[in-house]
Amino acid sequence: MGFWDKLKGEFIDIIEWLDESDNTIVYKFERYGNEIKYGAKLIVRESQTAIFVNEGKIADIFKPGTYTLETKNMPIMTTLNNWAHGFKSPFKAEVYFVSNKIFSNLKWGTKNPIILRDPEFGPIRIRAFGTFSIRVKDPVSVVRSVSGTSSQFTVQSIHDNLRNFAISRFTDAVSTSRIPILDLAASYDELGNFIKSKISPDFEEFGFEVVSFVVENVSLPEEVEKVLDKRTSMGIIGNLNSYTQFQVSESMTKNNLSSPISDILSLGVGLSMSNQLVNNLSSKQIPPPIKQDSYYIYLNNQKEGPLNLNQVIDLIKSNKVNNDTLIWKNGLLEWVKISSLTEFKNLVNENIPTLPPPPPLQIEEKKYFIYLDNNKVGPLTKQDIINLADNKRINNKTLVWFSNLTDWKTISEIEELKNIIKDDNILPPPIKNKIVKDIIKGQKLTIDIEIGSNKFLFGANWNNSECQDYDIDLSVLLLGKNKKLQKEEDFIFYNNKEDKNRSIKLVENFDLPYKKLADINLENISTDIYSLLFVLTIFDGIKNNQKFENVKELYFDVFSNENILRHSIKDLKDETAIILAEIYKKNQEWKIQAIGEGYKLGLDSIIKEYAGANINL
């Protein structure tokens, strides 16, 4: 593969996931070397989210749509890798697709009986089962906390854990609800919604949302079911006298005596006992108790009950409830305010004033996050950002994010922040205690003599007033004795910021008045390097019709601790790339020449002009 092809990349063209299963939550897009072509097409379908992971860190997130992968829609990847839009280079990243569809009909059930204290039967054991459904609420949490680096993560991988959560919270909910076991069948919907509210925080920790929780059945042990059957039989038989006669006659029928005489005697004794028992019961029969409603109320954020009518009235009179207190009794479809029930309406209105409404919510000041020195910093207030701008720690291209933004944006794109940072309309003054010497185009000077050292900085600056949306980059070509680029590594740009000897390094320093800066140490430079070309380019200048004629007051400085060499570049027209200067070695001395030569066809034309025989274009 040639040098130019390598820079442009010939790798994956389309990144997509066609989900043919019904149980896959996370799918890792696999390809050799994790290399993605700059400008590749990313297709994210409905009910999907794509997440890019850079060196183990979650970076950019894409919602449904079709994207062309460029620096402008990958702000976090761009920042983490210090991309400055010089080349359309391939990059490495892991891509995870997360399914946002609903995963339904997930089973849950109690493995062992649950022991509860029922208000009517006392301690009992019950079993229960049902279904629940989930979907991904926070794709980042799912990738970070659950799926990890798995190439495919399915519902089955986490079903057991989620089911255990459901069973545990079901047990707690039934225990604290204090709903009588006989009323549970009429409260399945209420119980399911109550349990859903209890288990939702557990699921949300892993990035999932509980869509529904259904209680299909609650069953009792066989012994308890027999008691219920007997009670049902009593209800069908009628009064106690008839039931007693039925029991006696049934018992006598079951006795197997050995002779007809025994049968007669048994029958006579049985009838006598039956008549005596019936007479005794008839003479002392007690009327059945009057059935009262059982109530449940929400008091101090807890469900209390069952309570009888008098107990609720006592709570009202003691001012422990108010008009808005929620109450429920058998026959109601949902919880209602206590003042809406006829039996309490007059009591509540007479004794309890309505509580005042809550105070208005305080509007929280907007918080911002920014990328500073390759680190995420925040949360910050607007004043914090103003202070950073005053100290020249940030500029218009600094990335910023706050709640409701789908992607990181530059400060210049945020309405309330764009006027915080203003570019000076005049050239900055010389650095304190340094002597500025202007050099003219074509003039050649010895660096060591003029600035007192072979260790210095090369800075470029301009007025941004007419080119705020331009992407302007600095690069350096390290040339051999034949004034040609010998190796790919000798091209210093945003994605290769320093050479192997660290003699040339692209840096940032907001304390200095330069938009682009390079740190130079000629003492460490490789012996086969004889010339350095400093190039300034407008990324996508031809495509966007952006030219250097709109880049006003452009100049570069070469300076050390003593002196500054400055050259101002003027009369630019439709150029999209400029060779600012050449630093070259002659007779073991390093010299500088101001060039200021423009190229209409951008960086490509400069690379092609200076590529050596070993560079395949």
Side-chain angles (χ1 to χ4, degrees):
M1 180 180 296
F3 172 59
W4 203 240
D5 290 335
K6 184 174 182 179
L7 289 176
K8 291 187 174 180
E10 296 292 337
F11 301 95
I12 299 297
D13 290 322
I14 299 177
I15 302 172
E16 61 180 340
W17 174 36
L18 301 175
D19 184 10
E20 299 178 355
S21 70
D22 59 355
N23 65 349
T24 301
I25 300 176
V26 180
Y27 170 79
K28 181 180 180 182
F29 185 79
E30 297 283 359
R31 68 274 189 234
Y32 178 76
N34 290 339
E35 287 192 317
I36 300 175
K37 180 181 177 181
Y38 182 92
K41 181 181 291 185
L42 172 66
I43 301 175
V44 184
R45 289 174 168 77
E46 290 294 336
S47 76
Q48 290 181 358
T49 300
I51 298 177
F52 278 53
V53 177
N54 177 74
E55 296 181 353
K57 295 182 179 179
I58 291 179
D60 296 288
I61 302 172
F62 296 87
K63 295 182 178 180
T66 300
Y67 304 86
T68 300
L69 297 180
E70 299 173 336
T71 53
K72 63 183 180 181
N73 57 26
M74 294 188 295
I76 301 179
M77 288 285 295
T78 300
T79 302
L80 291 177
N81 292 282
N82 297 317
W83 297 341
H85 312 300
F87 268 105
K88 299 179 180 179
S89 305
F91 58 93
K92 292 186 177 182
E94 300 175 40
V95 183
Y96 292 88
F97 287 89
V98 181
S99 175
N100 300 320
K101 68 182 181 181
I102 296 176
F103 297 93
S104 58
N105 202 30
L106 304 179
K107 307 292 185 182
W108 69 271
T110 56
K111 295 180 181 179
N112 299 306
I114 303 171
I115 299 177
L116 302 174
R117 183 177 296 278
D118 185 76
E120 188 168 354
F121 292 102
I124 60 171
R125 293 177 291 116
I126 67 170
R127 291 180 180 272
F129 64 86
T131 61
F132 64 97
S133 58
I134 62 172
R135 65 181 166 202
V136 173
K137 181 179 181 180
D138 184 356
V140 173
S141 294
V142 172
V143 172
R144 179 181 290 128
S145 304
V146 183
S147 71
T149 58
S150 301
S151 59
Q152 190 168 9
F153 183 77
T154 64
V155 173
Q156 286 72 22
S157 303
I158 197 174
H159 182 213
D160 288 343
N161 289 338
L162 299 181
R163 181 181 59 198
N164 291 338
F165 277 132
I167 296 172
S168 175
R169 295 299 178 261
F170 170 82
T171 304
D172 294 341
V174 174
S175 300
T176 58
S177 69
R178 300 176 66 182
I179 300 176
I181 192 66
L182 295 179
D183 295 335
L184 274 181
S187 307
Y188 281 176
D189 288 342
E190 176 200 349
L191 186 60
N193 292 332
F194 182 65
I195 297 170
K196 175 185 172 184
S197 67
K198 291 294 185 182
I199 66 175
S200 291
D202 295 316
F203 281 53
E204 288 175 359
E205 287 185 11
F206 297 100
F208 293 99
E209 173 190 4
V210 182
V211 178
S212 66
F213 189 93
V214 179
V215 180
E216 295 183 1
N217 181 263
V218 178
S219 60
L220 298 168
E222 184 178 356
E223 295 81 2
V224 179
E225 290 181 351
K226 288 181 179 180
V227 173
L228 290 177
D229 291 341
K230 182 172 290 189
R231 178 172 291 186
T232 303
S233 299
M234 291 172 62
I236 295 174
I237 291 169
N239 62 42
L240 186 59
N241 290 340
S242 299
Y243 176 66
T244 305
Q245 294 173 3
F246 168 76
Q247 288 285 71
V248 173
S249 61
E250 185 181 35
S251 174
M252 294 175 60
T253 303
K254 291 181 179 178
N255 289 330
N256 295 320
L257 300 179
S258 58
S259 67
I261 295 175
S262 298
D263 291 342
I264 294 172
L265 291 174
S266 176
L267 178 60
V269 172
L271 289 172
S272 175
M273 293 175 61
S274 175
N275 289 333
Q276 183 179 359
L277 180 60
V278 169
N279 289 334
N280 290 337
L281 291 173
S282 298
S283 62
K284 299 180 181 180
Q285 187 171 3
I286 300 174
I290 299 174
K291 184 179 179 181
Q292 292 187 354
D293 284 327
S294 294
Y295 299 90
Y296 295 85
I297 67 172
Y298 259 98
L299 188 63
N300 298 326
N301 294 323
Q302 291 184 349
K303 185 186 296 182
E304 297 289 343
L307 305 173
N308 59 38
L309 180 66
N310 291 329
Q311 289 174 316
V312 178
I313 292 175
D314 289 341
L315 290 174
I316 294 174
K317 291 182 177 180
S318 62
N319 291 336
K320 292 183 178 180
V321 298
N322 60 42
N323 284 332
D324 296 326
T325 300
L326 296 177
I327 191 169
W328 180 88
K329 68 176 182 178
N330 196 19
L332 292 178
L333 297 179
E334 58 184 358
W335 291 78
V336 297
K337 295 182 179 180
I338 193 171
S339 58
S340 67
L341 295 183
T342 304
E343 57 265 42
F344 302 120
K345 183 175 182 180
N346 294 330
L347 290 172
V348 174
N349 290 337
E350 178 182 351
N351 292 287
I352 304 175
T354 302
L355 294 178
L361 294 176
Q362 297 294 324
I363 300 176
E364 185 177 356
E365 184 178 3
K366 183 184 289 186
K367 301 295 184 181
Y368 302 87
F369 292 83
I370 66 171
Y371 258 95
L372 183 63
D373 299 329
N374 295 325
N375 291 306
K376 184 169 66 175
V377 179
L380 304 173
T381 64
K382 183 178 179 180
Q383 185 59 49
D384 293 332
I385 295 181
I386 292 174
N387 294 339
L388 288 171
D390 291 341
N391 293 325
K392 299 189 181 300
R393 296 293 309 284
I394 58 177
N395 56 33
N396 277 323
K397 290 187 178 181
T398 299
L399 292 175
V400 64
W401 180 90
F402 56 85
S403 180
N404 298 329
L405 281 185
T406 57
D407 293 306
W408 290 77
K409 294 183 178 296
T410 61
I411 284 182
S412 61
E413 296 177 289
I414 307 302
E415 184 66 28
E416 66 268 26
L417 301 179
K418 66 181 182 180
N419 294 324
I420 289 177
I421 302 173
K422 298 182 179 180
D423 294 303
D424 295 331
N425 293 324
I426 58 174
L427 295 178
I431 301 174
K432 188 176 181 181
N433 299 328
K434 295 188 178 182
I435 300 174
V436 178
K437 179 177 181 178
D438 292 320
I439 57 177
I440 62 175
K441 184 174 182 179
Q443 186 178 4
K444 301 176 181 179
L445 301 172
T446 302
I447 289 179
D448 188 30
I449 296 175
E450 298 296 335
I451 63 175
S453 175
N454 280 329
K455 299 178 183 179
F456 54 90
L457 293 173
F458 184 101
N461 201 18
W462 57 89
N463 181 355
N464 251 355
S465 60
E466 297 182 25
C467 58
Q468 290 186 1
D469 57 341
Y470 284 22
D471 268 335
I472 301 178
D473 298 307
L474 176 68
S475 55
V476 185
L477 279 67
L478 281 60
L479 308 180
K481 195 171 184 177
N482 60 353
K483 294 294 184 73
K484 295 292 183 180
L485 191 65
Q486 305 299 318
K487 303 184 295 293
E488 299 172 9
E489 294 79 7
D490 292 338
F491 177 56
I492 310 301
F493 65 113
Y494 71 92
N495 210 21
N496 179 35
K497 290 192 172 184
E498 60 183 2
D499 65 325
K500 63 181 181 179
N501 294 334
R502 297 186 175 180
S503 59
I504 314 292
K505 184 178 182 180
L506 301 182
V507 296
E508 290 184 354
N509 188 332
F510 293 121
D511 294 328
L512 296 176
Y514 302 100
K515 295 181 176 62
K516 297 296 174 181
L517 200 63
D519 191 347
I520 314 296
N521 184 355
L522 298 177
E523 295 178 1
N524 291 341
I525 203 162
S526 178
T527 56
D528 60 347
I529 300 300
Y530 285 79
S531 176
L532 312 178
L533 283 185
F534 292 83
V535 179
L536 208 61
T537 58
I538 302 175
F539 175 70
D540 272 350
I542 299 175
K543 175 182 176 181
N544 298 325
N545 195 29
Q546 297 172 340
K547 303 171 184 179
F548 269 107
E549 65 178 338
N550 296 321
V551 181
K552 306 299 183 181
E553 300 170 11
L554 174 62
Y555 70 97
F556 70 81
D557 284 351
V558 178
F559 59 96
S560 66
N561 292 328
E562 297 185 10
N563 300 323
I564 297 177
L565 297 178
R566 174 172 294 179
H567 175 68
S568 298
I569 302 174
K570 303 176 181 179
D571 301 325
L572 297 175
K573 296 297 182 182
D574 53 358
E575 295 88 349
T576 58
I578 306 171
I579 297 179
L580 300 175
E582 179 187 15
I583 294 177
Y584 62 96
K585 184 166 57 176
K586 183 176 182 181
N587 298 328
Q588 303 306 315
E589 289 184 332
W590 286 96
K591 298 181 178 294
I592 182 171
Q593 177 183 8
I595 296 179
E597 181 180 355
Y599 289 74
K600 296 181 180 180
L601 300 181
L603 182 62
D604 292 11
S605 58
I606 297 177
I607 292 290
K608 291 176 181 178
E609 179 178 340
Y610 287 93
N614 296 328
I615 304 298
N616 295 321
L617 298 178

